[in-house]
Amino acid sequence: MEEYLSQLNEAQLAPTIHTEGALMVIAGAGSGKTRVLTYRIAYLMHKGVDPFNILSLTFTNKAAREMKERIAQIVGKSEAKNLWMGTFHSIFAKILRFEADKLGYPSNFTIYDSQDSQRLISSIIKEMSLDKDIYKFKQVHSRISSFKNSLITVKAYFNNPDLMEADAMAKKPRIGEIYQHYVDRCFKAGAMDFDDLLLRTNELLNRFPEVLAKYQNRFKYILVDEYQDTNHSQYLIVKALADRFQNICVVGDDAQSIYAFRGANINNILNFEKDYDNVKTYRLEQNYRSTRNIVEAANSIIDHNKTKLDKIVWTANDDGPKIIVNRLPTDGDEGRYVASSIFENQMTEQRKASDFAILYRTNAQSRAMEDALRKRGIKYRIYGGLSFYQRKEIKDVLAYLRLITNPKDEEALKRVINYPARGIGATTIDKLVLAANHYKCAIFQVMEGIDRIPELKINAGTKTKLQNFVNMIKSFQVTNQTADAFTLAEEVTKKTGLVQEFKKDATPEGIARIENVEELLNGMRDFVEGQKEIDEATGSLAEFLEDVALATDLDKEVDDEDRVALMTIHLAKGLEFPYVYIVGMEEDLFPSGMSMNTRSELEEERRLFYVALTRAEKQAYLTYTLSRYRWGKLIDAEPSRFIEEIDDKYLENLTPIDSYRYKSLINTDIFGAVDKSKLRQTKPVSSTPPPSHKPTDDQLQKLRKLRPISKGSQKVDTETMNKLVPGTRVEHMRFGIGQILNIEGSGQDKKAEIKFTQGGIKKLLLRFAKLKVL
DNA sequence: TCATTGGGCTTTTTT
DNA sequence: AGCCCAATGA
């Protein structure tokens, strides 16, 4: 047996060497699933499987890179580099580039990021003269995105009366038309958005049996990490590719499913056993990462969820310190507390800055943390938020580069055609767009043939300006034939006047902008150098742009500087830190006010909390405030229900509970009044205590049986609930005024279907919806 | 056509 | 409080 396999425990070894057939690995937090995936691939290769035949889909590019490095250490670099390993988006973007002509796309198609998509949708809404207050571009985008992720094409949409009716009821009857225009415009621009990378892959595999066969035969072994976060579109791709050999291994943890909001379907993992023949399921339940206190506290949280797979996470680690809970007056104080606590731990425990992470629910919370850390002189790095490649100045440079590789790219064109200002104004652009729509071609093509379209009525001066622009781009295209990406980019920033434009601004921000552009150019130089080492890569501009489009903030190489990490909980998935501070543990923030209306949304927030807590190896801190700045205003806050849900024995409260402030929405009746007699009622009923050492199989069986499925502990005043009958007019905090159409379910699960004057029909769980009878 | 200003909107999370 | 966009005047 290979030496590396001895590093695995029994539970990890079994799925690692089970190479044939379909298997599912349910892996608790910190149970070593990455190790299983890595060694499994190494093992396959040792058994003689060609790396070309292995497809491994990961959640981030960083995870892929790290796994590849690890595998390279075991099987050798030259073998490992042939593995197909990456995110769904990056792997299938490569395949789509190769097969693009079959779908009528150019192989150098652009990838639109969310901002590009939203700008395009915005302009479509404007061109259709629709009310932008009703058709909000972000909402429309997310609606279209969800269609695409469910494989609902424009045609399918118009064939589905339910969907159309739902949009009509929401006062947005023209969503379908917007969708139609959006798809057409993307296609015409030679652009795919993020969702297209999956949708078009499905199209490719469905429409072309020979292509399907080719990739089925190629990918004899398929591995999917974070399977619980795959959406329907991804699910179908995997299913199609695995169909022939059925050598598929999916790894996931239903308790860490946190992407339902972008279409992830938890049923993919819950139903895996039905999808393939003879599925073998393995469980990794021993946590190696965290102290027992943290593991058990996390278990006590997830116990509140109804929908979950049977799984008991335990650890042999020490108890460790309790989770510290602290209440602070404001968000500023919260930041100062966290900063000084980090400072203290650094001193007393001799810890590096990189041993600490501050996790929050929303990016907006980072500011208070930053300020405090900066004042204390603690180095930090913020991940996510406005990522490097989303900054305006970077996008400006990239837009020129995009336009050079794909002149049809409409969003890139509109971004730079008059930046820096060259006298091509909105009127002219509108005319061009109109003509492009009319002739069903790209704007750039209209500009090239401007002399042949006299009806445009563009005056001679403007015409010259347009021609100069076209010629400039064309000359860059010539350069692109011979020069590498870095050389070209340098020329572009100079000749377009971008550099001069940026230099006009001498403010600190302006200087930072120039530095960012320099950093981008340096990054391109590194890229060109790096690509020379890879066989298939050409170091072309197109390749660089693809990497950039699909890069996440986590992927960016950083100097090895020792810094505290600040990020959202979503971004922290898969990472671990000795010390973790989870800040903003307040109702309406975490759980988010947007996610408290249905049980499933609330359960997702709870899983998010579970993810946050299980990032901690040694010590976790939870903080909340009494009031915090939101939307520029100081507003009152109350502690998150999630704090209450953890059994007290795992917590050390630095600020004992002040009973009148400590009210949770659960205890608030539907009229908003607080029933003080019920204040402490939601303390978790002590369930079967989690085992403190490795349980025997017998014990595990028993625990699984005893495990309560639902708590159903909150009582709601039935009398007030009974007032809510169909026809009642009610007011909701967020959705405004509406009328109850229907009531369903009973007791704790009673739901009302409500038609709101604005925002359409919503189904709300009465226990959580703060409804006022009118 | 361009620059400035004021108003409105934002905050859920991301490939 | 900050960002983006639209309206306004030069």
Side-chain angles (χ1 to χ4, degrees), chain A residues 652-764:
Chain A
E652 182 186 344
N653 236 309
L654 298 186
T655 40
I657 294 155
D658 167 353
S659 65
Y660 356 161
R661 291 216 74 118
Y662 202 48
K663 56 183 192 226
S664 147
L665 286 172
I666 291 176
N667 295 311
T668 310
D669 74 19
I670 55 171
F671 295 107
V674 177
D675 182 345
K676 289 202 173 118
S677 69
K678 289 180 187 160
L679 273 182
R680 303 299 301 164
Q681 208 169 292
T682 52
K683 272 281 108 181
V685 187
S686 180
S687 62
T688 319
S692 50
H693 48 82
K694 184 180 164 102
T696 63
D697 285 354
D698 220 40
Q699 282 171 320
L700 273 177
Q701 285 300 320
K702 264 192 207 139
L703 278 166
R704 289 208 168 96
K705 277 194 194 117
L706 286 172
R707 191 150 268 240
I709 290 176
S710 155
K711 295 253 181 215
S713 54
Q714 302 93 22
K715 289 209 181 87
V716 174
D717 185 345
T718 46
E719 198 188 310
T720 46
M721 196 95 120
N722 287 341
K723 287 184 188 160
L724 298 169
V725 294
T728 312
R729 281 172 54 75
V730 291
E731 185 174 356
H732 183 270
M733 196 181 76
R734 231 161 26 86
F735 302 128
I737 293 173
Q739 188 169 29
I740 298 183
L741 297 178
N742 196 15
I743 297 279
E744 59 179 82
S746 60
Q748 296 303 305
D749 293 321
K750 201 164 183 175
K751 286 176 225 145
E753 199 174 10
I754 302 171
K755 185 181 173 190
F756 289 99
T757 333
Q758 281 164 3
I761 296 181
K762 297 223 156 42
K763 218 176 248 185
L764 307 178

Side-chain angles (χ1 to χ4, degrees), chain A residues 79-105:
Chain A
E79 283 290 291
K81 79 179 182 193
N82 290 330
L83 281 164
W84 284 74
M85 190 177 267
T87 61
F88 273 91
H89 290 85
S90 62
I91 294 274
F92 294 113
K94 281 200 177 67
I95 290 179
L96 283 169
R97 260 187 222 295
F98 192 73
E99 312 282 352
D101 55 323
K102 299 196 175 59
L103 298 171
Y105 267 91

Side-chain angles (χ1 to χ4, degrees), chain A residues 306-519:
Chain A
K306 204 168 170 178
T307 319
K308 60 185 171 188
L309 287 172
D310 251 355
K311 170 166 45 64
I312 291 145
V313 181
W314 59 277
T315 186
N317 294 344
D318 290 343
D319 280 355
K322 291 189 175 187
I323 296 168
I324 293 176
V325 181
N326 199 5
R327 155 163 48 86
L328 289 309
T330 67
D331 47 353
D333 300 304
E334 187 182 38
R336 282 185 284 276
Y337 167 70
V338 170
S340 63
S341 170
I342 289 175
F343 185 75
E344 195 182 316
N345 280 324
Q346 276 184 314
M347 293 300 137
T348 57
E349 307 289 324
Q350 292 301 301
R351 289 289 186 164
K352 296 181 297 180
S354 57
D355 286 338
F356 299 86
I358 304 174
L359 307 181
Y360 35 77
R361 179 67 235 273
T362 68
N363 283 306
Q365 287 165 262
S366 69
R367 171 150 282 147
M369 297 296 138
E370 278 180 81
D371 290 346
L373 291 170
R374 209 177 311 113
K375 284 208 181 99
R376 274 259 171 198
I378 300 171
K379 295 247 186 194
Y380 62 89
R381 165 151 193 243
I382 298 183
Y383 295 80
L386 237 206
S387 90
F388 181 75
Y389 294 117
Q390 289 169 354
R391 297 198 175 144
K392 185 193 167 299
E393 63 275 18
I394 300 301
K395 287 212 76 170
D396 290 336
V397 178
L398 291 175
Y400 275 104
L401 301 177
R402 276 167 53 177
L403 196 58
I404 293 162
T405 46
N406 174 17
K408 294 199 290 184
D409 185 336
E410 184 180 325
E411 293 311 298
L413 176 82
K414 286 200 282 196
R415 193 171 181 111
V416 298
I417 189 168
N418 198 32
Y419 187 81
R422 49 176 74 87
I424 303 172
T427 327
T428 311
I429 294 170
D430 285 348
K431 284 182 194 165
L432 293 172
V433 170
L434 228 59
N437 287 344
H438 179 255
Y439 290 102
K440 298 201 189 315
C441 65
I443 299 174
F444 196 81
Q445 291 165 318
V446 174
M447 289 164 63
E448 282 177 305
I450 196 84
D451 286 329
R452 277 173 279 141
I453 318 175
E455 71 267 29
L456 265 181
K457 297 208 174 66
I458 288 175
N459 65 45
T462 313
K463 214 178 255 183
T464 316
K465 288 173 188 163
L466 290 175
Q467 277 158 347
N468 287 342
F469 181 76
V470 169
N471 292 336
M472 180 175 72
I473 298 298
K474 283 189 170 166
S475 80
F476 289 143
Q477 285 173 337
V478 174
T479 312
N480 192 27
Q481 300 296 316
T482 50
D484 63 49
F486 166 70
T487 314
L488 175 66
E490 215 177 17
E491 187 181 320
V492 166
T493 51
K494 281 192 193 125
K495 290 201 178 158
T496 55
L498 269 181
V499 177
Q500 293 91 308
E501 179 73 17
F502 292 140
K503 282 193 175 152
K504 270 198 248 166
D505 182 359
T507 61
E509 296 82 31
I511 291 163
R513 246 172 250 141
I514 296 167
E515 285 169 1
N516 283 336
V517 173
E518 280 165 5
E519 196 183 331

Side-chain angles (χ1 to χ4, degrees), chain A residues 1-14 16 31-32 35-36 38-39 70 73-74 286 288:
Chain A
M1 185 128 317
E2 284 78 2
E3 194 249 332
Y4 58 90
L5 293 178
S6 64
Q7 292 173 32
L8 299 171
N9 71 22
E10 220 177 294
Q12 293 166 336
L13 184 64
T16 304
S31 63
R35 180 172 283 207
V36 167
T38 312
Y39 289 8
R70 197 86 169 275
Q73 287 168 8
I74 302 171
Q286 182 177 1
Y288 290 95

